[in-house]
Amino acid sequence: MKPAARRTPTRDVYTDQRKAMTTFQLARRGIETASVLEAMAATPREAFVPESLQEFAYEDSPLPVEAEQTISQPYIVARMIELAELTPGDTVLEIGAGTGYAAAVMSHIARKVFAVERHEILARSARKRLAGLDYGNVEIVHGDGTKGLPGEAPFDAVVVSAGGEFPEALKSQIKIGGRIVIPLSVNGEQVLTVFRRVDETHFEISDHGLVRFVPLVAEPAGGETGAAPAAEAVTRPERSAAATVIAEHAEPAPDDEALADLVAERFAGRRIVALGESTHGTSEFYTARAAITERLVRDHGFTIVAVEADWPDAAFYDRKIRDGAQGRPAGDPFARFPRWMWRNEETFALIKALRDLNHGRPEADQAGFYGLDVYSLSTSIDAVLEYLEARAPEAAKVARERYACLAPYSTDPAAYGRMRLNDGYERCEDAVVRVLTELLEARTDGEALFDAEQNARIVTEAERYYRIMYYGGAESWNLRDSHMADTLDRLLEQRGPDAKAVVWAHNSHLGDARASELGWARDEHNLGQLIRQRHGREAALVGFFTSEGEVAAADDWGGPMRVKALRPAREGSLEGEAVQSGQDRFFLDMDRLDQPGRSVLAEPRIQRAVGVIYRPESELASHYFHADPTGQFDALAFMENTRAVAAQAGEPDSGAEETFPFGV
């Protein structure tokens, strides 16, 4: 008997995400069973999560649902179903139905699926949801899953979607040859375990790695609220293995100068020192990176400070600190969202320090401040046109005509992507490329041409970026990070063979993507990966992390800056392990780890990434991703408690005097 027919999801915005999930999160991470991959691709996960979290439905992360429970991440669902070895004729029991997602996936393979859920509110909504999607071969039962379903036994497979002790009642409800998959409690941890029944009294047991599930609890929970049960008491070691490694190998960095000493001692001989941040709005990340930058510029010959910012805006700062800088001055630099990233007291202090360090130095030895990013479409168009109008008015006229197709979108470049629907973008793509080509052929005007050339590249790549962004996916991310890496290389070439660069960018851009789910699951590369591929051991990548405190961020893109409480790091995350180590500020050099310690830290675990938007209510889904920090970075810098960057929340009051460099 085949599984019952059900409604096939129509092609919508989630179709491509579902396909990408199946390819990158599942198949490329080792899920091999074709029936499991097909079932995951056919099941609309967005229908099984709260509406407010549907945008995260295909992230490789668990998500919160009703009754303070969670829906497991797609990879874990697929892995457990693969271990259950389902076939089309099977009858399956799931313990812990939740929203019904795993049961729905299994129903694509098995003949019949029974799923027991102790929370009445979840059982009721799962029944309604599955009925609406025509999953006719799934039955949801409200009850105590630890007792199984003896009236429907025996089962070919049992999947327990909660962690705990082995329920004795299940032993008699599984067929000979049947499989029970359960996150088994072992010494305070949950180990994904398969019990295969060999005969009436014996089971073969195999372990398949550590996992984390809500606890398996007896007795059904009634009522509308479905309050979560208290977690089982477990004995946990005082320190985890990872926290112990950190405690034994990390070097104290009690203040910014101590951290600058350590970074300079280890990495001043490299050509590129890249400094990350786990949030865009943390004061300590700015001040610590500023101290390191000043040390490298003052004592070790670094002449490039390249940051995750727009080129034309950064050029305004560059003109204030460096003799001979010829970038076009922005009329009101860093005025667009997110204003607070580079228009804050910490950045102003760095700019002042660089100006003072440059004073009296030969022009070739002065440190410049440069933007690596691709967002400045309108400002870069203006910069190219102004350069040409001053030197070649006829060429400027031609360039203006070619850029005209982008003019309607210059204030809202994201809208440009819609042109792709009717292929109207082709006329802009060809035109902006011709402007760049002709500028490159000129190459006669030193730094001023370099600046105009860079702005022309930004227009060319911004055109592609916004066109691609309309459809989302990895391509727009990859283009942006490739642009940043290419800009860094052009700066190194332009500043000469002895040039050395300090780079500031978010950890998600600087931590080698090959060691995180950006590469594993999303098929994305990033700036750090490209730096390593192009420069090898001439580059050092340093990640910066924090646990709790406050952060400057917005609720949504384009929204006002708010100072928000940063939730304490989650247990088991990289930041959580750092807290458990007992050191509140430290520097950890990966080259100084012994092999056992490196192996422990190399185990992928979640780490936090907060950009210009912070949504603490959905933090796990919105801001955590899995990574191997030993592969991402050459070193880690950690500050347990941090403050928000010192910046104005919005536009300055009319007539209010602003701090340097805007008042000079």
Side-chain angles (χ1 to χ4, degrees), residues 423-439:
D423 291 337
Y425 69 89
E426 289 181 355
R427 63 192 179 92
C428 275
E429 181 182 27
D430 294 342
V432 298
V433 169
R434 285 201 300 274
V435 173
L436 173 59
T437 301
E438 290 166 11
L439 266 176

Side-chain angles (χ1 to χ4, degrees), residues 295-366:
R295 181 72 58 82
L296 295 176
V297 169
R298 186 184 68 229
D299 300 335
H300 301 286
F302 282 70
T303 55
I304 296 168
V305 181
V307 302
E308 186 186 337
D310 290 337
W311 178 273
D313 297 271
F316 181 94
Y317 285 15
D318 190 40
R319 288 171 64 89
K320 296 296 181 183
I321 68 173
R322 188 166 61 92
D323 298 336
Q326 297 182 40
R328 173 185 182 271
D332 189 19
F334 298 111
R336 294 181 296 106
F337 179 88
R339 177 189 181 95
W340 66 89
M341 267 190 68
W342 300 111
R343 203 153 169 161
N344 57 60
E345 297 296 332
E346 292 85 350
T347 299
F348 299 163
L350 171 66
I351 296 303
K352 289 178 183 178
L354 292 176
R355 180 190 60 181
D356 293 343
L357 286 170
N358 282 340
H359 183 68
R361 284 188 171 187
E363 285 188 21
D365 296 336
Q366 292 180 18

